[in-house]
Amino acid sequence: MSTPEISSREAEVLALLGEHLSNAEISARLFISVRTVESHVSSLLRKLAVPDRRALSRRAAEAAPVDTPVPVLPAPLTAFVGRVRERGELMEALKAYRQVTAVGPGGVGKTRLALAVAAELTGDFADGVWFVDLAPVTDAGRVGAAVAAAVGVGEQPGRGVEASVFAALADRQALLVWDNCEQIRDGVGPFLERLLAACPRVRVLVTSRARLMVPFERVFPVPPLSRAGGGESEAVELFLERAAAVGLPSPDPAVRDTVVALCERLDGMALAIELAAARWPTLGLDGLVAGLSDQLRILAGGPRAADRHRSVRAVLDWSHDLLEPADRALLRRVSVFVLPFTAGAAAEVAGFGPLEPGAVADGLGRLAEQSLLTVTPSSSGTRYQALETIRQYGAERLAEADESAAVRTRHTEWCLAGATGLLDTGGADWRARFDAVAEDLGAGLAWAAERPELRAEAHRLALALAESSFTRNLLGEAQERYEQAAALAAADSDAAECLRLAAGVAGCRRLGDDMFRLHRAAAEAARRAGDLPGTARDLATAATVAYRFSSEFARVPSPEEAKALLAEAGELSGPGDSGSAASAVALAEAAVVADAFGAVQGETDNTVEETIALAERAVALARLAGDPVAESAALDALSGARSWAGDTFAAAAAARRRIDLLVPLPPAPARTHELLDALAMASGTALGAGRLAEARRWGGELAGHPLLAEVGHHATSWLLVADAFAGRGDEVLTGSGRFLDAWERGGRQQSFSLGPAAASVAMVHGLRGDLTARAEWLAIVDRAGTSEEYRHGYGAILDATVLLHDGDAAAALDRVAPEPEQVWKWVTWIWLHWYVALRAEASVLAAHPDARARTAAARTVVAGNPVASAQLDRAEALLDGGDPRRLLAVARAFDAAGSRYQAARTLLLAGGEHAAAGTAALAGLGLSTVPRNLPGPGPRP
């Protein structure tokens, strides 16, 4: 292509050059070495053909902002002490092996060591180092979601979050640090194996209390801090550094000897040493030694790692025993919180006898002073969090006190109230409030779901979490929670409704197989509930999904399978039924029997009259049932039926009506899925009717929808087509970057809309005279669309447009040579008017003997289409000798219709003094100004 290919990392560097940052500042911002920054700057100078750094800064200011997440390691709040040998050995292990697990007991310092090593290795990884904190994750199935959130990968419709992560990291040279994996080893191992296979340049450093037990794992045991060297040892250095942080001076040599003994008795455990140092100001060294003498228990026997673990437990036991009884209760009770929590939340969960709710805030402050809780200021107020080791210790104490059930039940009630409250509120900070509690809601749900006595609460919590996740655009999470709510529902009727909601989310994700499965499951739940109309509706909907969204299936249901579902639905619906079941059956008949949607498994030809009749019946029944979402689906069928009849304007009107129905409705899953589809269809059908501004409007709304933020190829497809047909060359090339990047990250999918979008970009490159870029995009068309559609439908129109632009009328006519009836299946939907008008004009310019007859015949087809009508006016003007005045009138008509390219081309055809204006207009559109062999006006047969 003419535009140089710039990697995502180079784009990040370029954007920061635009902020006039130095190489060192860029290095710190992106967490890569200065040498790597210098390499990227040199590459950018070469690729962008600019002379110096100042020119790069100017170029960056002109470019679109880069929104690629920047890898950032957590910034340690205290200095890293010692570990010289371990750092060197761990770095060498990471250079030699793709996956290394740093293993050691809680509190030994695994995380700090991993962060220190990762920071030193950033220069070795072009795409930086990413940190994934798995401590809040309690469900092994959520490992992929946690990694996706850390690296800034959103879910893509048609692909699970796992596949999205693999696609995003497939070509990245990066180091991932996965912290605190021990509680979800069953999920980490399999996901890690798939990640390493899919992403050959990625390496992963894991910290865990236990090995992952996978064959590719390289284990690196993290020992306690060295006590070798007496007063100069790493353990003593850490103790003194932390003591200095609380204001104590360096001790004299005699005191240092006591510190050496203390660190020796603490086995060099980093957490134990830090806790002891924090208590020095209040207890003194003699108090610390006395406390350890009473409390520390180094048990004999067992593996050494277990001994070290017991030493940490002993220090925590000692710290715990120094607390007042109320503070002990508070420490163990707040251990149920997974994420940082507020004092108010702690009061609700932990504030019961012997601990008064009003005393909780003061108790949290005391625990923070004792380094048993960390304090984190946030926009929503002060939050508290226990380190993972202390949180697990608290959970054990909670069980010992026989309070687990009581506290976790209160935590579940708090989760349910919080989840319900999220549904009732909004505001600019809603997303932050959801993120602040989401993991706790999941943990509360996981606990409650396993207890029969809390089944009803778990069901409500799953529903609330599903709805909030959907609002947060976490579609995979939302579908999972709706399905979980269905499994927890006490009544089959409630289960059926949850499954329908899950199917709506699957539709938003473009997962046809899941939609089909979930509607069938909903039918079975409705059947168990004795709801025969509901059963009929779900069976019919499943049949409709099989045909309506056939391009979104991994395994397309056979016609026989869909017809069997339809037959059963018809039997259950019964004669005379005029409710939602009847409308669903009528829609399924239009889809399956008459193939209103032009499905993959549909027949080659449609019976137009029957299709229209069935679709109109479905619309009428849905309207009678008062179901706008069902009416929208039926209107989609009617739009398809009208297009098969060649009634382009009626098809567009039906598509617009869908939007009018859906916009006022709450953003539930099924409604949102319908709206996304309606926007795409409204844009496409408006284009088919020559309403370019309207097509661009609906295409722009689709491109800006938040649910499609991660799938730019689906989001921008119709906007690209509309802009290409309007001649907006620069806008198309700008949008094509988002399309291509998302299409490649999404696995290079194929669909009915992606092929036309890619072909439209290829057309613009052709109009610019960039044959290399055009060939590259045509290769993309081969993957993104279907060959027959391209050969007989939109591809013929777009290719012929380029050929006419180049003045090769004979080749253009050959490209659209078949009569419309011969390619009816591929041109009737939205391409018919463009096909017949272009075919007529090519006939005129190629001096075909039937040129006048073809032009006259096309008139009856395109009447009412401003662009196609102007194209025929131009063809007739050329037939009649090319009167410049008539051609100027045609140019004005094109301008009024929003077709700036055709207006400019008309000026060229007018010749003489008008050709210069046409050349300037084309240049303004970013298109070629000197078409090859362009014929001037003159007599035509």
Side-chain angles (χ1 to χ4, degrees):
M1 300 182 187
S2 59
T3 303
E5 182 179 355
I6 297 176
S7 70
S8 59
R9 176 64 76 189
E10 287 171 342
E12 293 167 358
V13 171
L14 181 62
L16 295 178
L17 287 171
E19 298 178 26
H20 304 288
L21 299 185
S22 68
N23 285 358
E25 290 169 328
I26 295 172
S27 168
R29 183 80 66 87
L30 298 182
F31 232 92
I32 58 179
S33 69
V34 173
R35 185 173 55 192
T36 302
V37 175
E38 292 170 350
S39 174
H40 288 316
V41 170
S42 297
S43 177
L44 287 167
L45 290 170
R46 183 181 68 258
K47 289 184 177 181
L48 298 180
V50 294
D52 52 32
R53 189 185 185 93
R54 182 176 299 176
L56 280 180
S57 297
R58 289 196 300 269
R59 186 68 174 265
E62 299 167 359
V66 176
D67 59 1
T68 303
V70 176
V72 176
L73 290 175
L77 300 179
T78 56
F80 184 76
V81 175
R83 300 285 194 189
V84 176
R85 180 181 59 83
E86 289 92 337
R87 276 188 288 178
E89 292 177 354
L90 185 52
M91 279 192 286
E92 290 304 314
L94 280 169
K95 292 176 181 178
Y97 303 96
R98 292 191 59 210
Q99 193 274 306
V100 178
T101 302
V103 174
V108 77
K110 301 183 295 295
T111 299
R112 290 300 302 272
L113 175 62
L115 288 174
V117 168
E120 290 191 51
L121 287 176
T122 53
D124 294 348
F125 294 89
D127 293 296
V129 180
W130 302 82
F131 183 80
V132 183
D133 184 9
L134 292 171
V137 181
T138 56
D139 181 354
R142 302 294 300 159
V143 173
V147 176
V151 302
V153 175
E155 185 179 355
Q156 303 169 1
R159 302 172 65 83
V161 68
E162 179 175 306
S164 299
V165 170
F166 297 168
L169 298 177
D171 60 349
R172 291 214 176 203
Q173 183 187 14
L175 171 65
L176 304 183
V177 180
W178 292 8
D179 196 33
N180 295 303
C181 296
E182 55 272 358
Q183 79 281 9
I184 47 169
R185 285 188 299 160
D186 291 345
V188 169
F191 181 87
L192 186 55
E193 185 168 6
R194 294 190 293 271
L195 171 70
L196 294 175
C199 309
R201 303 175 70 201
V202 167
R203 294 177 183 247
V204 180
L205 171 59
V206 165
T207 73
S208 177
R209 296 186 182 188
R211 291 183 297 154
L212 300 180
M213 304 297 289
V214 291
F216 50 84
E217 178 183 36
R218 180 71 176 185
V219 177
F220 183 87
V222 179
L225 286 167
S226 171
R227 279 94 67 207
E232 305 300 322
S233 71
E234 292 179 345
V236 171
E237 183 184 1
L238 175 64
F239 185 96
L240 296 179
E241 197 281 336
R242 297 300 187 258
V246 295
L248 292 175
S250 179
D252 59 40
V255 174
R256 186 180 288 261
D257 289 341
T258 305
V259 174
V260 171
L262 184 67
C263 291
E264 185 65 39
R265 297 183 66 182
L266 291 175
D267 278 350
M269 297 296 291
L271 175 61
I273 291 170
E274 290 185 333
L275 288 172
R279 284 159 181 73
W280 187 2
T282 55
L283 297 178
L285 278 180
D286 56 342
L288 286 173
V289 172
L292 289 177
S293 297
D294 291 338
Q295 300 296 328
L296 187 60
R297 297 291 184 269
I298 304 298
L299 301 178
R304 185 179 179 187
D307 289 342
R308 292 196 298 269
H309 183 70
R310 292 187 183 106
S311 70
V312 174
R313 185 186 304 281
V315 173
L316 291 174
D317 283 341
W318 164 71
S319 300
H320 174 267
D321 290 345
L322 290 176
L323 300 174
E324 295 296 325
D327 289 347
R328 295 179 192 174
L330 181 58
L331 178 63
R332 65 178 179 259
R333 291 174 183 179
V334 297
S335 69
V336 299
F337 288 101
V338 178
L339 294 177
F341 55 88
T342 64
E348 289 186 47
V349 173
F352 64 96
L355 180 61
E356 294 296 327
V360 168
D362 190 41
L364 293 173
R366 287 192 295 273
L367 292 177
E369 290 173 2
Q370 296 297 319
S371 299
L372 292 169
L373 294 179
T374 58
V375 182
T376 306
S378 71
S379 59
S380 58
T382 301
R383 291 183 176 270
Y384 299 86
Q385 185 177 28
L387 297 175
E388 183 61 19
T389 301
I390 298 175
R391 192 177 76 83
Q392 294 185 9
Y393 175 84
E396 292 181 2
R397 284 287 186 171
L398 191 67
E400 291 172 4
D402 198 23
E403 290 183 341
S404 287
V407 174
R408 292 191 181 279
T409 297
R410 292 172 70 92
H411 180 251
T412 298
E413 292 170 352
W414 173 81
C415 289
L416 182 56
T420 304
L422 282 170
L423 300 180
D424 298 333
T425 59
D429 65 338
W430 184 92
R431 175 176 291 196
R433 286 189 287 114
F434 172 82
D435 291 345
V437 298
E439 290 292 345
D440 266 301
L441 300 185
L445 173 58
W447 186 83
E450 297 298 321
R451 282 145 186 88
E453 70 275 12
L454 294 178
R455 188 182 183 93
E457 289 82 357
H459 168 71
R460 295 201 304 274
L461 180 54
L463 265 180
L465 186 52
E467 186 172 339
S468 292
S469 297
F470 183 77
T471 303
R472 181 65 173 81
N473 295 339
L474 301 173
L475 300 187
E477 171 87 358
Q479 182 181 329
E480 177 185 341
R481 297 308 181 190
Y482 276 128
E483 293 194 53
Q484 187 176 15
L488 292 167
D492 287 321
S493 57
D494 292 335
E497 185 56 34
C498 291
L499 290 166
R500 292 175 192 128
L501 290 166
V505 180
C508 294
R509 300 175 71 197
R510 304 179 71 89
L511 299 178
D513 302 81
D514 274 6
M515 289 184 71
F516 189 66
R517 170 182 62 83
L518 289 165
H519 277 298
R520 296 188 70 174
E524 292 308 308
R527 194 194 305 273
R528 292 193 302 270
D531 179 9
L532 295 185
T535 305
R537 182 174 68 251
D538 287 313
L539 290 172
T541 302
T544 298
V545 164
Y547 271 65
R548 186 182 179 195
F549 302 108
S550 60
S551 66
E552 297 174 9
F553 278 78
R555 184 196 71 83
V556 180
S558 67
E560 292 73 24
E561 190 175 1
K563 288 174 182 177
L565 293 173
L566 174 56
E568 185 178 0
E571 293 174 2
L572 293 172
S573 176
D577 184 359
S578 59
S580 58
S583 68
V585 170
L587 178 58
E589 290 174 344
V592 177
V593 176
D595 191 22
F597 300 106
V600 170
Q601 69 272 50
E603 300 293 336
T604 303
D605 296 316
N606 298 64
T607 307
V608 174
E609 294 77 9
E610 180 184 9
T611 307
I612 293 174
L614 289 173
E616 287 180 334
R617 180 169 179 268
V619 171
L621 289 172
R623 188 173 299 150
L624 184 63
D627 187 340
V629 174
E631 186 176 349
S632 169
L635 283 167
D636 192 28
L638 182 59
S639 182
R642 291 295 187 188
S643 73
W644 299 129
D647 194 344
T648 302
F649 301 107
R656 289 196 305 274
R657 171 64 180 151
R658 294 176 65 194
I659 296 175
D660 294 338
L661 283 170
L662 296 168
V663 167
L665 302 180
R671 172 267 186 189
T672 301
H673 178 217
E674 276 295 322
L675 181 60
L676 292 174
D677 184 75
L679 288 170
M681 294 304 100
S683 181
T685 55
L687 179 71
R691 297 166 180 160
L692 298 180
E694 189 177 327
R696 194 168 196 273
R697 172 192 170 190
W698 301 128
E701 288 196 22
L702 185 68
H705 198 286
L707 276 186
L708 301 182
E710 297 292 337
V711 283
H713 48 319
H714 291 293
T716 61
S717 56
W718 285 111
L719 183 59
L720 286 173
V721 177
D723 278 345
F725 274 80
R728 297 173 177 266
D730 290 337
E731 287 92 333
V732 170
L733 296 190
T734 299
S736 68
R738 179 186 176 191
F739 176 95
L740 182 57
D741 179 63
W743 180 70
E744 290 179 338
R745 284 190 293 107
R748 302 185 176 186
Q749 298 166 312
Q750 181 183 82
S751 87
F752 291 146
S753 63
L754 299 181
S760 295
V761 178
M763 180 188 76
V764 168
H765 281 297
L767 298 180
R768 288 167 57 88
D770 190 340
L771 301 184
T772 300
R774 172 170 167 77
E776 291 175 353
W777 275 92
L778 288 178
I780 294 170
V781 175
D782 288 341
R783 294 285 302 275
T786 62
S787 59
E788 286 190 318
E789 282 186 296
Y790 177 77
R791 185 166 62 254
H792 301 303
Y794 63 83
I797 297 164
L798 297 169
D799 288 350
T801 299
V802 174
L803 291 166
L804 286 181
H805 181 82
D806 288 343
D808 194 346
L813 181 58
D814 184 64
R815 192 68 180 85
V816 290
E819 295 287 343
E821 293 78 7
Q822 295 177 278
V823 290
W824 194 252
K825 181 77 173 181
W826 297 278
V827 300
T828 47
W829 177 40
I830 64 172
W831 310 113
L832 179 61
H833 288 190
W834 298 97
Y835 187 88
V836 297
L838 192 63
R839 186 168 182 267
E841 183 174 19
S843 299
V844 170
L845 293 173
H848 192 278
D850 295 332
R852 193 173 294 276
R854 288 180 177 180
T855 303
R859 284 280 186 197
T860 62
V861 177
V862 308
N865 182 322
V867 179
S869 295
Q871 196 163 6
L872 294 177
D873 289 342
R874 183 172 64 195
E876 286 188 347
L878 293 172
L879 269 172
D880 295 336
D883 181 356
R885 289 175 300 178
R886 289 177 62 181
L887 291 173
L888 289 177
V890 171
R892 289 191 293 271
F894 276 126
D895 257 331
S899 184
R900 296 187 291 176
Y901 164 69
Q902 293 293 357
R905 184 167 177 272
T906 305
L907 293 176
L908 286 177
L909 288 166
E913 62 186 16
H914 308 297
T919 298
L922 283 174
L925 294 173
L927 303 177
S928 171
T929 58
V930 188
R932 296 184 295 274
N933 304 319
L934 183 69
R940 294 288 185 272

